[in-house]
Amino acid sequence: MNQAVSAFLSKHNFVRHVDVNVVSESILDDMNRGLSGEKSDEDMIPTWCLPPEKPVTDRSVIVIDAGGTNFRSCLVTFDKNGEASISELEKTKMPGVERELNKKEFFDQFAANLEHLKNKADVIGFCFSYPMHIQKDGDGVLIGFSKEVKAPEVVGCAIGKCLKEALVAHGWKEPERVTLLNDTVAALLAGKAAAKSNVYSSYIGFILGTGMNAAYIQPAIPSQEGFSKQIVVCESGKTRNVVMSDFDKAFDAKSQKPGTFFMEKQCSGAYLGPVAFEMIQAAVKDGLFTEAFARKLAALQSLTLIEFDGFLHAPYDASTTLGKLAAESATAEDYDRLYQILDALVERSARCASAILTAAVVQSGEGKNASQPVCILCNGSTFWKTNMIAERVNGYLDEVLTNRKGLYWKIVSVDNDITLGTAIAGLIE
């Protein structure tokens, strides 16, 4: 790395080369404290369910996927062979993103978004990608919002119950059941459903998109009465044992919920752009760029992950936001310094993600045989599209999990994974 960039990152307490093994050990300690009922950063939410052993057949289910910036809804029908078909798919904005909503407004907007599916199935699978306490009847009580959703009156509500009430008020026949789940659980269930002839020892669902989280299958805990083997949602983004740079602190102070979701703010798509913006503005103030290029960068008002990732994929492409500014005024050294600053942020994200996955595989107690690895279904554009994240995660897991710990794993993807997994959850009896 350029010496000036290294000095800049060090000055601002930015740790690019996070030790994956050390962070994973810290996460494991936090996971075990949460599972034992002690105070922990991660919520470690039991779901009281496991993937079904047999394929779902001859059923239809309404599917809702509400998380991040989008609200998706559709009808999923499983035929006699267990093959799923998706119909009547619609996508709109997630309620509460653009402005603050009260409880009634929030659920009325949900009902309005579902009007095209009125009474087309008697059960609903609801992927609600926010921290919840999952109830044994499949409902979920909201712990709190992340990803800048603004609907404070909804916190503490039983989401399925409130949705049923809103749908009935909008002329629906009351659904028999609304099953709440996190997108990580949906990803895990989709991985199991898609396994077919592959033999996996366990399953993990991992999301690295707008937000970041993981779910895995926790073995039974003899010391915890009634805690049988089941899927557990970690709420990994809440992990606090991370080094916060000056850039992280600057963004955190401006965020919707400062002082929370420290790990997520270092990893996920909703936050990488704003943190990159803070890095660039600090670099401008510290004199890392030539005067002409610094003036261009100082004029930036904001930055998204998509915008800075475009520069990482093709620095000299003048059609991207940063590429255009660079083409107008940057020297070769300016290009290189900007690239290295942004790449350091991506590198850190990949290492943090690898630490979370390492902890989940270890905690599952599986993956001990190469022929029966742990299946890790990864979902999210930040993971799959951001420059070099997927490749780096594969490399770090190979080093830490396989070479050091002798544990085997396989990262997979499945088309329409969240929709498929949510449909399966909606039909688990």
Side-chain angles (χ1 to χ4, degrees), residues 349-389:
S349 176
R351 286 174 174 263
C352 289
S354 301
I356 290 165
L357 290 174
T358 295
V361 171
V362 171
Q363 191 69 15
S364 76
E366 301 292 351
K368 298 174 183 178
N369 298 320
S371 61
Q372 298 180 25
V374 175
C375 175
I376 303 173
L377 192 146
C378 290
N379 169 282
S381 57
T382 302
F383 181 86
W384 289 111
K385 294 183 180 180
T386 303
N387 190 58
M388 293 300 293
I389 280 189

Side-chain angles (χ1 to χ4, degrees), residues 167-292:
L167 293 178
V168 170
H170 282 248
W172 285 57
K173 176 185 175 183
E174 183 175 337
E176 290 181 7
R177 186 173 68 255
V178 178
T179 301
L180 271 292
L181 68 154
N182 185 277
D183 51 2
T184 56
V185 178
L188 186 155
L189 293 173
K192 172 65 167 63
K196 300 189 185 300
S197 60
N198 289 319
V199 178
Y200 295 110
S201 54
S202 193
Y203 299 87
I204 289 170
F206 180 66
I207 307 295
L208 186 58
T210 303
M212 186 275 300
N213 199 6
Y216 71 102
I217 298 176
Q218 169 67 40
I221 304 176
S223 62
Q224 300 294 315
E225 186 176 350
F227 194 103
S228 57
K229 181 179 180 180
Q230 61 187 283
I231 299 170
V232 169
V233 176
C234 303
E235 293 303 333
S236 307
K238 289 186 171 183
T239 301
R240 300 176 65 89
N241 194 17
V242 294
V243 177
M244 291 187 69
S245 68
D246 295 344
F247 322 124
D248 299 307
K249 292 175 181 178
F251 166 66
D252 180 63
K254 301 173 185 176
S255 67
Q256 184 71 23
K257 293 187 176 181
T260 63
F261 291 92
F262 289 155
M263 180 69 86
E264 185 166 278
K265 287 172 180 173
Q266 295 196 3
C267 289
S268 68
Y271 307 115
L272 288 177
V275 174
F277 175 80
E278 298 293 342
M279 295 177 80
I280 289 172
Q281 296 309 311
V284 167
K285 291 178 183 177
D286 285 9
L288 258 70
F289 304 112
T290 58
E291 184 176 347

